[in-house]
Amino acid sequence: MTTSLSVSLADQGIATGATIRPNLGTAALVEEALMKGEGRLTKDGALLVDTGKFTGRSVKDKFVVRDAVTEDTINWGAINQPMSQEHWNTLKADFLAAVKDQGELYVADLFGGSQPEYRVNVRVITQMAWHNLFIRTLLVRPSADELASFAPEYTIINLPSFKADPARHGCRSDTVIAVHFSEKLILIGNTEYSGEMKKGVFGLLNFLLPAQGVMPMHCSANIGPDGKSAIFFGLSGTGKTTLSADASRTLIGDDEHGWSDQAIFNFEGGCYAKMINLSAEGEPEIYATTKMFGTILENVTMDPDTRVLDFTDDSKTENTRGAYPIEFIPNTSEKNLGPPPSNVILLTADAFGVLPPIARLTPEQAMYHFLSGYTAKVAGTEIGVTEPTATFSTCFGAAFMPRHPSVYGNLLKKRIADGGAQCWLVNTGWSGGKASEPGIKRMPIKATRALLNAALDGSLNDVEFRKDPNFGFEVPVAVPGVDANLLDPRAAWADGEEYDRTAQDLVRKFVDNFEQFAAHVDESVRQAAPQAA
């Protein structure tokens, strides 16, 4: 057994007879994955892997141990499900017994967070070589000097071969993701989906940072030529990655960030992008990464003879993914951080044709819409969906938030107020009617970019605004180069009265959804709600 870890597994109380593969680099891990039959090389040298029956996170199989530390700090419910200390003790003992019997284990010592004052030292122990490559790609990689004195604070053990026992371990199935904040340990069993590790670290930081006054966020971030940064909140399909990947701006990161007194800082050192329908024309920077050695592609279809990829094939899953170091994208921030944001963008894709393409928000309105986390599903995206369907995901990432949503909402409101950031709601959805109606088209990307650029460079603040009668936020009346009918959603509809009915129906959906937060926010935020007729 060999090791060059500054703190051994034995020092952590983890006994094993396995051969330890510590802190291997990209090439070595790719070689290991290929030798073990975990993946194949594509025509251009990326590593293609299959995640088995799990092609996404197993949300219903995630648990948090309930103890004195978490009893009053975790927002218990369907997302943050409790596990007893007794069940955890049994699960941990069985996990460690499984670790003891492994032939080989891969260990990566990494940072969660790019700002040194707020990063955490995370050790990830994996059964599979490509899992180690994945997490090494996604988290922040320490320097050789930092590794020489690295002391793990939090540990993740990922064993796809481990099958949980619901009766014995207090879980739901033979798959389990269990988090013990007091013992600083995350156990992942019976799933090959790599995103469980990534989101495990995100959840960890989402729990730790608010207590330090740092706002953890599911957002992308970039810096303009003027040195001012912007952050982009948004659910899948709203344009979070696309709109932040602007060649004229420097990318800080595409998914997870913290907002401290000094900076916006990326939690990660890599990107985890959706690959479905990827094209060189639509997203050239991301497409280029699929031809680079060191990129990991999950569940993408490949011709077995030519090894050419087919990004349009969703027969395995629509959630095809690519993981690559952030430096694979041109014009990225050297230290993965930038100044506190001057602009906060909340993205939505409204399929009802109600919301304007851009609106200026007060801090209270920003908190309201942040807690709401609204977007919409369109017909055809899921079986049985024939009409636009409103979707609300608290804080634009409810699945990753261990604390009560109001903790994050109040932090955001304070950060905006203290820093003077301007807030905008940007709708990348449909205009002129519901998305399900014939001839109704999505917002032109050219118009969205023009409005967004005007917001980011400050020129939008110089135009005339009107107050939206339904939502109360401010909407520009006229912007050079943008169709005025686009700015006034009601004018874009053929039937204004039908627009009014549809708008009020959406308002009621917002109001009904926000009832769960009303008791946890102050009166000014409650007053920022849209007005039902």
CSV table of all heavy atoms in Angstrom, one decimal, residues 50 79 82 85 95 104 158 162 194 201 240 267 344 384 401 420 465 475 511 526 528:
chain,number,residue,atom,x,y,z
A,50,ASP,N,-20.5,6.2,-18.8
A,50,ASP,CA,-21.9,5.9,-18.6
A,50,ASP,C,-22.2,5.8,-17.1
A,50,ASP,O,-21.5,5.1,-16.4
A,50,ASP,CB,-22.3,4.6,-19.3
A,50,ASP,CG,-23.8,4.4,-19.4
A,50,ASP,OD1,-24.4,4.4,-18.3
A,50,ASP,OD2,-24.3,4.2,-20.5
A,79,ILE,N,-37.0,17.7,1.1
A,79,ILE,CA,-35.7,17.9,0.5
A,79,ILE,C,-34.6,17.5,1.5
A,79,ILE,O,-33.7,16.8,1.2
A,79,ILE,CB,-35.5,19.3,0.0
A,79,ILE,CG1,-36.4,19.6,-1.3
A,79,ILE,CG2,-34.0,19.6,-0.4
A,79,ILE,CD1,-36.4,21.0,-1.7
A,82,PRO,N,-34.6,13.8,7.5
A,82,PRO,CA,-33.7,13.5,8.7
A,82,PRO,C,-33.3,12.0,8.7
A,82,PRO,O,-34.1,11.1,8.3
A,82,PRO,CB,-34.6,13.8,9.9
A,82,PRO,CG,-36.0,13.6,9.3
A,82,PRO,CD,-36.0,14.0,7.9
A,85,GLN,N,-29.2,9.4,14.5
A,85,GLN,CA,-27.8,9.1,14.9
A,85,GLN,C,-27.6,7.6,14.9
A,85,GLN,O,-26.6,7.1,14.4
A,85,GLN,CB,-27.5,9.7,16.2
A,85,GLN,CG,-26.0,9.5,16.6
A,85,GLN,CD,-25.0,10.3,15.7
A,85,GLN,OE1,-25.2,11.5,15.5
A,85,GLN,NE2,-24.0,9.6,15.2
A,95,PHE,N,-20.3,1.2,6.0
A,95,PHE,CA,-19.5,1.9,4.9
A,95,PHE,C,-18.0,1.6,5.2
A,95,PHE,O,-17.2,1.3,4.2
A,95,PHE,CB,-19.7,3.4,4.9
A,95,PHE,CG,-20.4,3.9,3.6
A,95,PHE,CD1,-21.7,3.8,3.4
A,95,PHE,CD2,-19.6,4.4,2.6
A,95,PHE,CE1,-22.3,4.2,2.2
A,95,PHE,CE2,-20.1,4.8,1.4
A,95,PHE,CZ,-21.5,4.8,1.2
A,104,GLU,N,-8.5,-1.1,-4.4
A,104,GLU,CA,-7.9,0.2,-4.7
A,104,GLU,C,-8.9,1.3,-4.3
A,104,GLU,O,-10.1,1.1,-4.4
A,104,GLU,CB,-7.6,0.3,-6.2
A,104,GLU,CG,-6.4,-0.5,-6.7
A,104,GLU,CD,-6.1,-0.2,-8.1
A,104,GLU,OE1,-7.0,-0.3,-8.9
A,104,GLU,OE2,-4.9,0.1,-8.5
A,158,ASN,N,-17.3,7.8,-1.6
A,158,ASN,CA,-18.2,7.4,-2.7
A,158,ASN,C,-18.0,6.0,-3.1
A,158,ASN,O,-17.0,5.7,-3.8
A,158,ASN,CB,-18.1,8.4,-3.8
A,158,ASN,CG,-19.1,8.2,-4.9
A,158,ASN,OD1,-20.0,7.4,-4.8
A,158,ASN,ND2,-19.0,9.0,-6.0
A,162,PHE,N,-21.7,-0.1,-2.9
A,162,PHE,CA,-22.3,-0.2,-1.6
A,162,PHE,C,-23.9,-0.1,-1.7
A,162,PHE,O,-24.4,0.8,-2.3
A,162,PHE,CB,-21.9,0.8,-0.6
A,162,PHE,CG,-22.5,0.7,0.8
A,162,PHE,CD1,-21.8,0.0,1.8
A,162,PHE,CD2,-23.7,1.3,1.1
A,162,PHE,CE1,-22.4,-0.1,3.0
A,162,PHE,CE2,-24.2,1.2,2.4
A,162,PHE,CZ,-23.6,0.5,3.3
A,194,SER,N,-22.1,11.3,-10.9
A,194,SER,CA,-21.0,12.0,-10.3
A,194,SER,C,-21.5,13.3,-9.6
A,194,SER,O,-20.8,13.8,-8.7
A,194,SER,CB,-19.9,12.3,-11.3
A,194,SER,OG,-20.5,13.1,-12.4
A,201,VAL,N,-20.8,19.0,-1.9
A,201,VAL,CA,-19.9,20.1,-1.4
A,201,VAL,C,-20.7,21.4,-1.4
A,201,VAL,O,-20.6,22.3,-0.6
A,201,VAL,CB,-18.7,20.2,-2.3
A,201,VAL,CG1,-17.8,21.4,-1.9
A,201,VAL,CG2,-17.8,18.9,-2.2
A,240,LYS,N,-28.8,30.8,-17.9
A,240,LYS,CA,-27.7,31.2,-16.9
A,240,LYS,C,-26.3,31.0,-17.5
A,240,LYS,O,-25.5,31.9,-17.3
A,240,LYS,CB,-27.9,30.3,-15.7
A,240,LYS,CG,-26.9,30.5,-14.6
A,240,LYS,CD,-27.4,29.9,-13.2
A,240,LYS,CE,-27.7,28.4,-13.3
A,240,LYS,NZ,-26.5,27.6,-13.3
A,267,PHE,N,-17.1,28.6,-6.1
A,267,PHE,CA,-16.9,27.5,-5.3
A,267,PHE,C,-16.1,26.4,-5.9
A,267,PHE,O,-15.5,25.6,-5.3
A,267,PHE,CB,-18.2,26.9,-4.8
A,267,PHE,CG,-19.0,27.7,-3.9
A,267,PHE,CD1,-20.4,27.3,-3.6
A,267,PHE,CD2,-18.5,28.7,-3.2
A,267,PHE,CE1,-21.1,28.1,-2.7
A,267,PHE,CE2,-19.3,29.5,-2.3
A,267,PHE,CZ,-20.6,29.1,-2.0
A,344,VAL,N,-27.3,42.4,-10.2
A,344,VAL,CA,-27.9,41.1,-9.9
A,344,VAL,C,-29.0,40.8,-10.9
A,344,VAL,O,-30.0,41.5,-11.0
A,344,VAL,CB,-28.4,41.0,-8.4
A,344,VAL,CG1,-29.1,39.7,-8.2
A,344,VAL,CG2,-27.3,41.3,-7.4
A,384,GLY,N,-47.4,14.5,-20.5
A,384,GLY,CA,-48.6,15.0,-19.9
A,384,GLY,C,-48.7,16.5,-19.8
A,384,GLY,O,-49.7,17.1,-19.5
A,401,MET,N,-30.4,23.7,-0.6
A,401,MET,CA,-30.4,24.6,0.4
A,401,MET,C,-30.8,24.0,1.8
A,401,MET,O,-31.9,23.7,2.0
A,401,MET,CB,-31.4,25.8,0.1
A,401,MET,CG,-31.1,26.5,-1.2
A,401,MET,SD,-29.5,27.3,-1.2
A,401,MET,CE,-29.4,27.9,-2.9
A,420,GLY,N,-25.3,48.2,-2.8
A,420,GLY,CA,-25.9,49.1,-3.8
A,420,GLY,C,-26.0,48.5,-5.1
A,420,GLY,O,-26.1,49.2,-6.1
A,465,PHE,N,-39.1,54.7,-17.6
A,465,PHE,CA,-39.6,53.5,-17.1
A,465,PHE,C,-41.1,53.7,-16.8
A,465,PHE,O,-41.6,54.8,-16.5
A,465,PHE,CB,-38.9,53.0,-15.8
A,465,PHE,CG,-37.6,52.4,-16.1
A,465,PHE,CD1,-36.5,53.2,-16.3
A,465,PHE,CD2,-37.4,51.0,-16.1
A,465,PHE,CE1,-35.2,52.6,-16.5
A,465,PHE,CE2,-36.2,50.4,-16.3
A,465,PHE,CZ,-35.1,51.2,-16.5
A,475,VAL,N,-40.5,48.9,-15.8
A,475,VAL,CA,-40.2,48.3,-17.1
A,475,VAL,C,-39.8,49.5,-18.0
A,475,VAL,O,-40.5,50.5,-18.1
A,475,VAL,CB,-41.4,47.6,-17.7
A,475,VAL,CG1,-41.1,47.0,-19.0
A,475,VAL,CG2,-41.9,46.5,-16.7
A,511,VAL,N,-48.6,34.5,-5.7
A,511,VAL,CA,-49.1,34.8,-4.3
A,511,VAL,C,-49.3,33.5,-3.5
A,511,VAL,O,-49.0,33.4,-2.4
A,511,VAL,CB,-50.5,35.6,-4.4
A,511,VAL,CG1,-51.1,35.7,-3.0
A,511,VAL,CG2,-50.2,37.0,-5.0
A,526,ARG,N,-43.2,41.6,1.9
A,526,ARG,CA,-44.6,41.2,1.6
A,526,ARG,C,-45.3,42.2,0.7
A,526,ARG,O,-46.1,41.9,-0.2
A,526,ARG,CB,-45.4,41.1,2.9
A,526,ARG,CG,-44.9,39.8,3.7
A,526,ARG,CD,-45.9,39.5,4.9
A,526,ARG,NE,-45.8,40.5,5.9
A,526,ARG,CZ,-45.0,40.4,7.0
A,526,ARG,NH1,-44.2,39.3,7.1
A,526,ARG,NH2,-45.0,41.3,7.9
A,528,ALA,N,-43.9,43.8,-1.6
A,528,ALA,CA,-43.3,43.7,-3.0
A,528,ALA,C,-44.0,42.7,-3.8
A,528,ALA,O,-43.6,42.5,-5.0
A,528,ALA,CB,-41.8,43.4,-2.8
